[in-house]
Amino acid sequence: MTEVYSMDPLIIKTPYEMSYKHSYGKTSKFFTSLSAGKLMATRCDHCKFTFLPPRADCPYCLAETKWVEISGKGIVHTFSTLYFSGEKFLKDLPFQLVYVELEGVDTLFLTRLKIKDKNSTKIGMKIKMKISREPEWRSSDVWAEPED
Ligand SMILES: [Zn+2]
């Protein structure tokens, strides 16, 4: 049912729902491994470079990469506090997104930081990646928390 908020300008509120079907293709193992409690990255043996988010093929030499399990320990590279988001996370506002430097990984990984005191987030702070026990097969199945 459409609700009318204003006539000039005309502002309405109407239900909106959509289903979205897509394939993770060659990076599917990242999500299936999360469901098994493992955090996986991809590595190019030729370039000695490890990617997370995973890359099926090395962007430098184009060789196919291999999957490697990583510890999920790392540090905050940089962070931002969000005061607006997509619909799924509106209930969680404000929250923080961080780029993390993970052990054994050569790229930065963008993820959410779940922390009680948002004012205590610092660049260089030690974090540990956490994995949801109830997978939704999305990037939000993994996040960072301060290391104890
Ligand atoms: Zn390579």
Side-chain angles (χ1 to χ4, degrees):
M1 185 176 121
T2 300
E3 297 176 47
V4 177
Y5 285 92
S6 165
M7 292 303 285
D8 187 19
L10 180 60
I11 300 173
I12 63 170
K13 179 180 178 183
T14 184
Y16 180 84
E17 185 179 327
M18 151 177 143
S19 294
Y20 182 68
K21 179 180 178 183
H22 78 277
S23 169
Y24 288 113
K26 291 181 175 179
T27 59
S28 296
K29 187 168 181 163
F30 174 75
F31 295 95
T32 57
S33 296
L34 285 178
S35 74
K38 293 181 179 180
L39 186 58
M40 305 291 282
T42 57
R43 178 167 176 79
C44 175
D45 280 337
H46 180 257
C47 298
K48 312 292 185 211
F49 209 89
T50 303
F51 305 95
L52 191 66
R55 287 177 169 264
D57 303 295
C58 176
Y60 304 113
C61 73
L62 306 180
E64 193 168 326
T65 58
K66 70 174 189 181
W67 290 95
V68 292
E69 185 173 358
I70 61 169
S71 72
K73 291 184 178 181
I75 62 168
V76 171
H77 180 81
T78 192
F79 66 96
S80 181
T81 303
L82 281 74
Y83 294 93
F84 197 75
S85 75
E87 189 173 348
K88 179 174 171 56
F89 303 108
L90 284 175
K91 65 185 183 319
D92 302 328
L93 291 171
F95 63 85
Q96 291 179 322
L97 290 180
V98 291
Y99 272 108
V100 292
E101 300 173 27
L102 294 169
E103 289 178 2
V105 177
D106 297 301
T107 55
L108 296 174
F109 185 64
L110 177 66
T111 192
R112 187 163 163 184
L113 177 67
K114 294 187 179 178
I115 187 169
K116 289 179 184 159
D117 178 7
K118 291 172 186 59
N119 292 322
S120 67
T121 304
K122 301 279 187 261
I123 291 171
M125 184 176 81
K126 289 184 178 180
I127 58 91
K128 174 84 173 105
M129 299 304 295
K130 299 288 183 176
I131 300 169
S132 173
R133 292 173 191 225
E134 297 173 12
E136 293 183 20
W137 313 104
R138 304 164 62 121
S139 58
S140 55
D141 286 351
V142 63
W143 63 88
E145 291 183 3
E147 189 175 46
D148 298 324

